[in-house]
Amino acid sequence: LRVARFAARMGSSVDDATRSAILEDNQLIDVSHERIKEEVLKGIKQAESVMDFFEIIADLDLMGQVFPRLTVTTKIIESIRHPSYILAQLLIDNNPKQTKKVLKSMAYSNDITDQVEFLLNFFAIDHRTAPALKKVFKRLKISPDLLQPFADPHTVSTFSKFTTLPPAANPRDLMAQGL
């Protein structure tokens, strides 16, 4: 993982000899979940390109150990270097509760796991889930900027307005508020 982080930090690739050696024995058996998490978070922060960092991890066949039991995509928007934002994009194809459980088992903080779960749930927002997501959004104090890749601009705008409104007593009140 450190090789991937250093290569991504320098904007380079892993040389063939190092890549071959890692692929021959790439088991992270004696590496704690805490260490794996720290390398991932440092990689997000330090990489010249976060997408390249995760592509190197995938190329070294380490993704299954970094995010066990989860499907990972490396196609991300890196405009915001917020760990929860990046992790939610990587793990967008997974069940939010399962993702939170795996991230907790990998020693990620409650803040990160709660934010990732929220962003994954926001990806599937509808009129039934919006009120519950509003409560979580306010509790977690997530920036509306983090919502952009998880829904279309109209949904993000409408939800942002919705979060500023007083609580509605019933669906009719929501409709009266234009939501």
Side-chain angles (χ1 to χ4, degrees):
L1 285 176
R2 203 166 280 166
V3 167
R5 180 167 57 92
F6 286 135
R9 185 170 71 189
M10 300 301 169
S12 62
S13 58
V14 177
D15 70 78
D16 291 339
T18 303
R19 182 181 179 281
S20 294
I22 291 171
L23 287 171
E24 278 184 37
D25 184 18
N26 65 354
Q27 297 302 305
L28 303 176
I29 295 169
D30 294 328
V31 181
S32 71
H33 290 180
E34 179 72 26
R35 170 68 11 225
I36 292 170
K37 174 205 61 160
E38 288 303 318
E39 289 297 327
V40 168
L41 294 178
K42 285 179 183 179
I44 290 171
K45 184 178 179 181
Q46 298 172 356
E48 194 172 285
S49 165
V50 178
M51 191 173 354
D52 288 349
F53 170 63
F54 285 107
E55 285 176 350
I56 292 169
I57 290 173
D59 184 53
L60 296 174
D61 200 22
L62 296 169
M63 204 64 86
Q65 295 172 80
V66 172
F67 300 111
R69 303 177 309 281
L70 296 175
T71 302
V72 182
T73 180
T74 56
K75 303 217 181 330
I76 57 173
I77 301 166
E78 14 182 327
S79 57
I80 300 173
R81 291 281 180 118
H82 190 286
S84 301
Y85 174 85
I86 298 294
L87 292 172
Q89 288 183 79
L90 287 169
L91 304 172
I92 195 74
D93 295 328
N94 295 280
N95 173 285
K97 286 187 188 303
Q98 177 65 20
T99 302
K100 181 178 181 175
K101 185 178 177 180
V102 170
L103 291 177
K104 278 193 167 291
S105 77
M106 296 300 292
Y108 285 88
S109 71
N110 288 337
D111 285 345
I112 289 176
T113 59
D114 288 346
Q115 290 169 357
V116 169
E117 181 184 36
F118 169 83
L119 292 168
L120 295 179
N121 280 319
F122 187 77
F123 184 67
I125 191 171
D126 63 26
H127 67 281
R128 293 180 307 273
T129 60
L133 288 173
K134 175 183 176 180
K135 289 179 185 176
V136 176
F137 179 80
K138 287 186 165 212
R139 179 177 57 82
L140 296 177
K141 299 179 176 117
I142 293 176
S143 167
D145 295 342
L146 295 181
L147 303 178
Q148 295 303 325
F150 300 98
D152 65 85
H154 175 72
T155 300
V156 172
S157 173
T158 302
F159 183 76
S160 293
K161 289 176 191 170
F162 174 55
T163 62
T164 64
L165 297 173
N170 61 49
R172 193 170 287 132
D173 290 344
L174 285 174
M175 291 172 62
Q177 294 172 8
L179 302 172

